[in-house]
């Protein structure tokens, strides 16, 4: 992770109008951060120093259980807050968030802003709306898992998690996330390869026909 200086600092703050989400002057506190692909924004069990507002790129949220098993919880896409639950929770221990692509985040230091954030009606109103939408998306995900074949859900997952035209998520994590067997997942991946929608290329897959993949991914 690196902090961006001027003129890029001002460029991103102006481009994404973050000040509109707050009633107090937030921009003097904000730092602009760039994370490379595969970097951790939060590591598990750490108390976050910043709330991040993801403005470009993708990241994934996951947790490691006591038995060592890793569960993929969700993918995060811009624009979205990260660390808002830890801000509201007095324990403030985070789950892991790792970048899927290069990302740009606007970072708000918690120690300097916590009291202002928790008493800012404008920010809290926006945060309530954000959390409500996130809960609705989570409910929709579980509904879709019952209503659509794996081919459609996997296509949507590939579109969500791919870095450009390259997809390389771990099969075991995908199986748990989509609620399918390892064998079933491999079968559907093979079918997508057979129809030239994707192509196996170590250590992942190349999207060859984005238009057809997008059609399969439309779950609404």
């Amino acid at each position: 992770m690196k902090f961006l200086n001027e003129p890029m600092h001002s460029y991103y703050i102006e481009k994404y109008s973050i000040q509109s989400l707050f009633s107090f002057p937030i921009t003097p506190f904000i730092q602009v951060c760039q994370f490379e692909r595969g970097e951790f924004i939060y590591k598990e069990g750490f108390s976050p120093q910043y709330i991040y507002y993801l403005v470009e790129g993708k990241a994934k949220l996951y947790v490691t259980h006591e038995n060592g098993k890793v569960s993929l919880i969700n993918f995060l896409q811009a624009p979205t807050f990260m660390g808002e639950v830890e801000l509201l929770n007095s324990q403030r221990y985070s789950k892991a968030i790792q970048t899927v692509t290069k990302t740009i985040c606007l970072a708000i230091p918690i120690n300097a802003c916590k009291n202002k954030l928790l008493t800012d009606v404008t920010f809290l109103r926006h945060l309530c709306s954000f959390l409500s939408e996130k809960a609705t998306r989570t409910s929709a995900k579980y509904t879709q898992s019952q209503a659509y074949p794996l081919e459609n859900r996997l296509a949507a997952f590939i579109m969500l998690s791919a870095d450009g035209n390259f997809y390389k998520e771990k099969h075991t994590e995908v199986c748990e996330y989509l609620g399918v067997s390892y064998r079933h997942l491999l079968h559907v991946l093979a079918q997508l390869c057979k129809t030239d929608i994707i192509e196996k290329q170590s250590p992942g897959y190349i999207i060859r026909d984005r238009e057809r993949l997008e059609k399969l991914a439309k779950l609404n």
Side-chain angles (χ1 to χ4, degrees):
M1 183 266 282
K2 67 177 181 180
F3 295 107
L4 301 185
N5 298 317
E6 297 294 354
M8 299 309 296
H9 178 275
S10 294
Y11 168 78
Y12 282 110
I13 289 178
E14 292 173 7
K15 181 178 180 180
Y16 293 104
S17 304
I18 192 170
Q19 181 58 64
S20 64
L21 306 180
F22 303 85
S23 62
F24 68 95
I26 192 67
T27 54
F29 297 99
I30 290 178
Q31 298 191 64
V32 180
C33 305
Q34 178 177 297
F35 293 87
E36 297 301 322
R37 186 177 186 273
E39 279 195 84
F40 283 95
I41 297 174
Y42 293 136
K43 292 186 177 180
E44 286 184 273
F46 282 75
S47 179
Q49 297 180 10
Y50 296 95
I51 295 175
Y52 291 103
Y53 189 55
L54 176 65
V55 294
E56 293 183 6
K58 303 176 187 177
K60 59 182 178 180
L61 172 70
Y62 64 86
V63 63
T64 302
H65 303 285
E66 291 184 2
N67 62 2
K69 186 177 182 180
V70 176
S71 293
L72 177 61
I73 300 173
N74 203 2
F75 278 85
L76 309 175
Q77 298 187 90
T80 189
F81 278 106
M82 297 177 291
E84 77 287 349
V85 173
E86 289 77 12
L87 172 70
L88 300 172
N89 186 329
S90 59
Q91 292 184 343
R92 291 176 42 232
Y93 293 113
S94 67
K95 294 181 173 62
I97 298 181
Q98 186 178 25
T99 61
V100 176
T101 67
K102 185 165 93 171
T103 66
I104 299 292
C105 297
L106 307 184
I108 303 169
I110 292 175
N111 286 343
C113 297
K114 182 178 180 180
N115 290 337
K116 290 179 179 291
L117 292 172
L118 294 179
T119 56
D120 184 351
V121 174
T122 301
F123 169 68
L124 293 176
R125 184 182 296 118
H126 178 82
L127 194 59
C128 286
S129 177
F130 167 76
L131 291 172
S132 175
E133 290 173 3
K134 186 162 72 170
T136 299
R137 287 194 299 270
T138 300
S139 297
K141 170 183 169 290
Y142 287 107
T143 300
Q144 290 165 354
S145 69
Q146 303 296 321
Y148 290 88
L150 178 58
E151 181 183 44
N152 301 100
R153 292 186 287 125
L154 180 58
F157 181 85
I158 292 172
M159 293 295 300
L160 179 65
S161 61
D163 183 359
N165 284 325
F166 189 64
Y167 163 80
K168 57 165 291 186
E169 294 302 315
K170 294 180 180 178
H171 291 340
T172 51
E173 294 179 13
V174 179
C175 287
E176 183 172 3
Y177 183 80
L178 295 177
V180 299
S181 69
Y182 196 89
R183 181 178 180 181
H184 193 185
L185 177 67
L186 292 182
H187 173 73
V188 175
L189 283 169
Q191 289 298 110
L192 293 176
C193 290
K194 186 176 181 180
T195 53
D196 295 323
I197 294 176
I198 61 175
E199 178 184 329
K200 183 74 176 76
Q201 188 175 104
S202 184
Y205 296 81
I206 298 292
I207 298 174
R208 290 299 183 193
D209 194 330
R210 180 170 287 273
E211 183 177 352
R212 289 166 64 198
L213 189 66
E214 287 177 346
K215 287 181 179 179
L216 284 174
K218 289 181 179 178
L219 302 181
N220 296 322

